Amino acid sequence: MNFVEFRKKWTPKIDQYLEEHLKQDIDDKKISQIMTYSVMAGGKRLRPLLFLATLDSLNKDITNSEVQIACGIELIHTYSLIHDDLPAMDNDDYRRGKLTSHKKWGEAEAILAGDALLPLGIQWISEGSKSYELVEIITSAVGPNGMVGGQYLDIDSTNNASVADDEVLIDRMEWLKTGCLIEACVKMGAVYAGADENSKTNLIKFADNFGRAYQIYDDLVDVVQTSKEAGKATHKDQENGKNNTLTILGIEQSRSELTKLITEAKANLASLNNEVLTGFLDLYQKVL
Amino acid sequence: MNFVEFRKKWTPKIDQYLEEHLKQDIDDKKISQIMTYSVMAGGKRLRPLLFLATLDSLNKDITNSEVQIACGIELIHTYSLIHDDLPAMDNDDYRRGKLTSHKKWGEAEAILAGDALLPLGIQWISEGSKSYELVEIITSAVGPNGMVGGQYLDIDSTNNASVADDEVLIDRMEWLKTGCLIEACVKMGAVYAGADENSKTNLIKFADNFGRAYQIYDDLVDVVQTSKEAGKATHKDQENGKNNTLTILGIEQSRSELTKLITEAKANLASLNNEVLTGFLDLYQKVL
């Protein structure tokens, strides 16, 4: 099976699990509706698919439990988007072409929807895996030394000219904001499937390169795509005084850096010989 | 050892663990400082002490790992306070006699401090216990069917005259907001210590009564204590159009309901014969 077939097979199952369980498992229908609104807003399910593809590369069967873990990751990703969009943070009105949660439901509701999605996501990962190790990987990836730490650095450095060219800080911020969670998807897959040391090392190297590539890709989408294509406001980073790899490297150097990371990531996967994981790298072609 | 001695012994160890590890374990010094500000704002450490006392009642030794779990609970409790105080939520300027997080550091910073404390708290519980079962207890207690669900009902029912006398809804809201997490402390203790079925059942019944008593106590503090004693704005619930058990029962009936719950909670502990846990109920004397 190649990447396109894999995605076509599993995306509807992820969507179905998310929609069904957000409805069934949550007692209060209104908060369930608010959470569902953002989770079902048409995300690409990149992170859950990456977790499932890692299992596939290690010949681990995918059953309902593995889909539950994958969907737990998506809940956590969605929480991060809802909170990033808040007026006190990036103050975005649209996301994936729809009103953001606080614009649609109110600010308190959006904060609480995020606050509900995070623990529910961890709960799903714990229930699906029955592994405290997976819990440690995900909580550490999204905590103060991970995603939230990156978001904090972003807030702290926005419109701060003194760090505009601090390449180390910006690289660290972008890694924490997006790379960390992407790496965690692959790490959880490797640990859950009981990968041997060699495969685990290669997978984590792949995840590292894939995650770093994703940062650059995400910045490039902001300038290369129109807002209609991206489903959100683009060209916003510059207006908002956001410093990122792109503001340091420029478009062409960002593209060549991205190409280099893709080549390295492919090499990391050579011994696993898995078409599905390798296929994830095609995502980046549209900004190259 | 009685409750007062137990509290005197373990409170400083909890405080020390929290302060040391929030400093050592968090890479970014600024977000560490913002998180520490709220965690070290002089809380009573009721929830971590309750977890440790449950272990004590089951003759389980308390070492560094158990303190780590206890402190994880306190991080999660602190996150909930920071988010409850936000302008979009209860909009409180003071908490425990100090400026609230958003007043001191800014709104984005307060949202992120909460967002960082929640996963870090779960991580500490997971690392300390190496038990996915404890992770399931805590995540389910603070998710949409627990604490956050209660906070949502609170937001949704505030200034809503149609639910002012809906006793079932208000009882449910208050249970979810505060009772659920309190119950989880005892449940985690019972599961972690491997309590036999009989002890576990009695402990959970105790936790249920103790948690319901805590709701009534907390509402009574709001009207009985001056704001100086309580360290926060009191008499606020009424001004804010908050509906709670007190607005339904009135002060005297709340007190007699509290007395009844204390008696039941004591009876639940009879077979365990543990002075420390029983001593927790003395907390409520100051509003009786």
Side-chain angles (χ1 to χ4, degrees):
Chain A
M1 194 182 288
N2 65 26
F3 169 69
V4 175
E5 291 159 346
F6 186 86
R7 186 178 59 186
K8 210 170 162 184
K9 176 174 179 186
W10 291 107
T11 307
K13 295 199 200 302
I14 292 168
D15 285 342
Q16 193 190 349
Y17 190 98
L18 287 166
E19 191 155 24
E20 263 181 35
H21 286 269
L22 284 173
K23 194 166 186 175
Q24 281 169 21
D25 300 359
I26 299 174
D27 302 335
D28 187 274
K29 292 310 150 209
K30 280 193 268 183
I31 194 169
S32 163
Q33 189 185 10
I34 298 171
M35 293 160 76
T36 302
Y37 174 81
S38 295
V39 174
M40 302 311 293
K44 297 182 299 291
R45 314 304 185 202
L46 177 76
R47 291 157 190 79
L49 285 169
L50 194 55
F51 170 75
L52 295 179
T54 305
L55 300 187
D56 182 75
S57 79
L58 295 161
N59 302 311
K60 174 93 186 161
D61 277 351
I62 300 173
T63 70
N64 200 53
S65 298
E66 289 74 27
V67 172
Q68 184 180 23
I69 302 170
C71 290
I73 301 171
E74 188 69 5
L75 297 189
I76 295 169
H77 172 57
T78 308
Y79 128 75
S80 78
L81 301 181
I82 295 175
H83 280 199
D84 283 4
D85 289 337
L86 286 170
M89 314 283 269
D90 290 352
N91 195 22
D92 273 310
D93 293 351
Y94 289 92
R95 159 83 65 184
R96 293 169 179 165
K98 291 175 68 177
L99 285 174
T100 47
S101 183
H102 65 273
K103 277 301 210 185
K104 173 83 179 174
W105 307 101
E107 201 177 332
E109 287 77 1
I111 294 171
L112 291 173
D115 286 351
L117 285 166
L118 174 56
L120 188 64
I122 299 171
Q123 188 181 338
W124 285 8
I125 291 169
S126 179
E127 282 174 2
S129 68
K130 305 212 174 298
S131 159
Y132 72 88
E133 284 166 293
L134 263 67
V135 172
E136 285 178 34
I137 295 171
I138 190 70
T139 50
S140 126
V142 302
N145 295 337
M147 192 173 70
V148 173
Q151 187 66 13
Y152 177 75
L153 286 180
D154 191 8
I155 292 290
D156 202 40
S157 69
T158 298
N159 284 318
N160 181 351
S162 73
V163 299
D165 54 0
D166 184 341
E167 211 171 321
V168 174
L169 184 134
I170 287 167
D171 189 56
R172 182 171 162 66
M173 171 189 93
E174 296 216 322
W175 171 254
L176 293 174
K177 272 184 71 176
T178 55
C180 252
L181 179 56
I182 285 174
E183 189 189 53
C185 299
V186 177
K187 235 189 222 174
M188 285 194 286
V191 169
Y192 182 75
D196 62 63
E197 276 313 305
N198 192 38
S199 303
K200 200 172 155 185
T201 307
N202 283 323
L203 280 167
I204 292 173
K205 278 187 194 160
F206 159 74
D208 190 72
N209 285 315
F210 184 82
R212 288 183 194 281
Y214 193 82
Q215 299 161 222
I216 299 177
Y217 162 78
D218 208 34
D219 292 340
L220 279 169
V221 166
D222 187 69
V223 295
V224 170
Q225 289 197 301
T226 64
S227 63
K228 197 178 166 192
E229 285 168 334
K232 60 183 177 183
T234 52
H235 308 270
K236 252 202 86 168
D237 285 357
Q238 206 176 358
E239 283 167 38
N240 290 349
K242 291 270 183 199
N243 300 311
N244 57 40
T245 310
L246 196 66
T247 58
I248 293 180
L249 297 182
I251 293 183
E252 283 322 306
Q253 219 188 313
S254 288
R255 280 183 167 140
S256 69
E257 181 66 21
L258 179 53
T259 307
K260 207 183 93 195
L261 287 166
I262 293 172
T263 309
E264 281 175 29
K266 275 191 183 147
N268 301 142
L269 292 178
S271 65
L272 279 158
N273 193 21
N274 182 271
E275 257 194 278
V276 178
L277 267 187
T278 313
F280 271 84
L281 296 160
D282 296 339
L283 167 73
Y284 301 140
Q285 289 305 324
K286 69 176 172 190
V287 296
L288 287 178
Chain B
M1 193 182 289
N2 65 26
F3 169 68
V4 175
E5 290 159 347
F6 186 87
R7 187 178 57 186
K8 211 170 160 185
K9 176 174 178 186
W10 290 106
T11 307
K13 294 198 200 301
I14 292 167
D15 286 341
Q16 194 190 348
Y17 190 98
L18 287 166
E19 190 153 27
E20 264 181 34
H21 286 270
L22 284 173
K23 195 166 184 173
Q24 282 168 21
D25 300 358
I26 299 174
D27 301 335
D28 186 274
K29 292 309 149 207
K30 280 193 269 182
I31 193 169
S32 163
Q33 189 186 10
I34 298 171
M35 292 159 77
T36 303
Y37 174 82
S38 296
V39 174
M40 302 310 293
K44 299 182 297 293
R45 313 306 184 201
L46 177 76
R47 291 156 191 79
L49 285 169
L50 193 57
F51 170 75
L52 295 179
T54 305
L55 300 187
D56 182 75
S57 79
L58 296 161
N59 302 310
K60 174 93 186 159
D61 277 351
I62 300 174
T63 70
N64 201 54
S65 298
E66 289 74 27
V67 173
Q68 183 180 23
I69 302 169
C71 289
I73 300 171
E74 188 68 6
L75 297 189
I76 295 169
H77 172 57
T78 308
Y79 128 75
S80 78
L81 301 180
I82 295 174
H83 280 199
D84 283 4
D85 289 336
L86 286 170
M89 314 283 269
D90 289 353
N91 195 22
D92 273 311
D93 292 351
Y94 289 92
R95 160 82 65 183
R96 293 168 180 165
K98 292 175 68 177
L99 285 174
T100 47
S101 183
H102 65 274
K103 277 300 210 185
K104 172 83 179 174
W105 307 101
E107 201 177 331
E109 286 78 0
I111 294 171
L112 291 173
D115 286 352
L117 285 165
L118 173 56
L120 188 63
I122 299 171
Q123 189 182 339
W124 284 8
I125 291 169
S126 179
E127 281 174 3
S129 68
K130 305 213 174 296
S131 158
Y132 73 88
E133 285 167 291
L134 263 68
V135 171
E136 286 178 33
I137 295 169
I138 190 70
T139 49
S140 124
V142 302
N145 295 337
M147 192 172 70
V148 173
Q151 188 64 16
Y152 177 75
L153 286 179
D154 191 8
I155 292 290
D156 201 40
S157 69
T158 297
N159 283 319
N160 181 351
S162 73
V163 299
D165 53 0
D166 184 342
E167 210 170 321
V168 174
L169 184 134
I170 286 167
D171 190 57
R172 181 170 163 67
M173 171 189 93
E174 297 216 320
W175 170 254
L176 293 174
K177 273 184 71 175
T178 57
C180 252
L181 179 56
I182 285 174
E183 188 190 54
C185 300
V186 177
K187 236 190 222 174
M188 284 194 286
V191 169
Y192 182 76
D196 61 63
E197 276 311 306
N198 192 38
S199 302
K200 200 171 154 186
T201 307
N202 283 322
L203 280 166
I204 291 172
K205 278 187 195 160
F206 158 75
D208 190 72
N209 285 314
F210 184 81
R212 287 184 193 280
Y214 193 83
Q215 299 161 220
I216 300 178
Y217 161 79
D218 208 35
D219 292 339
L220 278 169
V221 165
D222 187 68
V223 295
V224 170
Q225 289 197 301
T226 64
S227 62
K228 198 177 165 191
E229 286 168 333
K232 60 182 178 184
T234 51
H235 307 270
K236 252 201 87 167
D237 285 357
Q238 206 176 358
E239 283 167 38
N240 290 348
K242 291 271 183 197
N243 302 311
N244 56 40
T245 310
L246 196 66
T247 58
I248 293 179
L249 297 181
I251 294 184
E252 284 321 307
Q253 218 188 314
S254 289
R255 280 183 167 139
S256 69
E257 181 66 21
L258 179 54
T259 307
K260 206 184 94 196
L261 287 166
I262 293 171
T263 310
E264 281 175 28
K266 276 191 182 146
N268 301 142
L269 293 177
S271 65
L272 279 158
N273 193 23
N274 182 270
E275 259 194 276
V276 178
L277 267 186
T278 314
F280 271 84
L281 296 160
D282 296 338
L283 167 74
Y284 301 140
Q285 290 304 323
K286 69 175 172 192
V287 296
L288 286 179

